[in-house]
Amino acid sequence: MLPAHLAARLLEQRRAQESAEFARQLPLYADDAPFPLHTDPDDETGHPLPDWTTNY
């Protein structure tokens, strides 16, 4: 059985390694956004936003 301070240090190291591996796998940039950035409510291709003042 490990002493508490050694177990805490090992756990901290393991978490740091896992988060570094996770961050390494993230893309540095994305060419295609997963959602449309500029949507006009009057645009034919997009869905218009609901009018909350009259339709509630």
Side-chain angles (χ1 to χ4, degrees), residues 3-17:
H5 68 283
L6 290 179
R9 186 184 307 169
L10 289 174
L11 181 61
E12 184 178 335
Q13 287 176 351
R14 182 184 299 164
R15 286 182 179 164
Q17 287 174 349

Side-chain angles (χ1 to χ4, degrees), residues 16 37 39:
L37 296 176
T39 57

Side-chain angles (χ1 to χ4, degrees), residues 35-48:
F35 54 89
L37 296 176
H38 303 290
T39 57
D40 285 336
D42 298 331
D43 192 14
E44 292 179 6
T45 59
H47 299 288

